[in-house]
Amino acid sequence: MVEFQTHHLDAVFHALSDPTRRAMLRRLTEGEHSVSDLATPFNMSLAGASKHIKVLESAGLVRRHVQGRTHMCQLEAARLAEAQEWLRTYERFWTSRLDDLEEILRDEDRAAAQAAELLPKPENKPRRTK
């Protein structure tokens, strides 16, 4: 199993806990954007957007570089991949549990079908006609 550094995961999940930062990350999947571009949909100041971007940067999810006077942001997906790998442990757990539940339900269906076969069949009496 892959060993995860707890502080990295903590930072990633903290960064992802905010809907604004998640939306910013989603926009960055389309390509590089300026801080101004990222701030626009939220009607927030550049300083406010910059604070969100700093959280994303500290989590290792975003890289920022300067082009002239414009700060450009780019998605760094490696930390997201680490978080996804960590979550896969729980996916395997739930998949196993759901497989167990499916087997129980199939056993119950088989038992019900067998019980139905053992029940006496209703007799087909001829109908009287008047």
Side-chain angles (χ1 to χ4, degrees):
M1 180 168 174
V2 178
E3 193 65 31
F4 298 101
Q5 293 186 0
T6 306
H7 66 280
H8 288 166
L9 285 175
D10 291 348
V12 167
F13 288 122
H14 169 71
L16 296 175
S17 70
D18 183 85
T20 301
R21 291 191 288 267
R22 288 193 306 270
M24 287 177 167
L25 278 180
R26 192 172 302 113
R27 288 217 44 217
L28 290 172
T29 63
E30 302 163 358
E32 193 173 73
H33 286 282
S34 70
V35 173
S36 178
D37 290 341
L38 294 172
T40 300
F42 305 103
N43 207 17
M44 68 171 56
S45 68
L46 292 179
S50 190
K51 286 180 184 180
H52 282 293
I53 292 165
K54 283 180 185 174
V55 172
L56 294 168
E57 282 180 302
S58 2
L61 298 171
V62 168
R63 184 170 40 120
R64 186 186 334 203
H65 64 276
V66 181
Q67 287 180 345
R69 293 178 30 186
T70 305
H71 287 238
M72 300 299 293
C73 299
Q74 183 176 353
L75 178 66
E76 290 290 319
R79 288 280 193 260
L80 285 174
E82 290 174 13
Q84 182 180 18
E85 183 60 34
W86 183 83
L87 287 168
R88 277 195 186 106
T89 302
Y90 298 96
E91 180 182 342
R92 286 187 291 270
F93 168 77
W94 283 112
T95 299
S96 171
R97 300 291 295 198
L98 289 171
D99 288 346
D100 292 345
L101 177 60
E102 182 179 27
E103 188 59 36
I104 290 168
L105 293 173
R106 284 186 179 161
D107 288 345
E108 287 179 359
D109 287 346
R110 280 192 288 271
Q114 287 173 350
E117 287 176 9
L118 296 176
L119 290 175
K121 305 264 188 232
E123 292 181 29
N124 288 332
K125 296 182 181 177
R127 296 172 88 190
R128 284 197 239 169
T129 57
K130 290 185 183 180

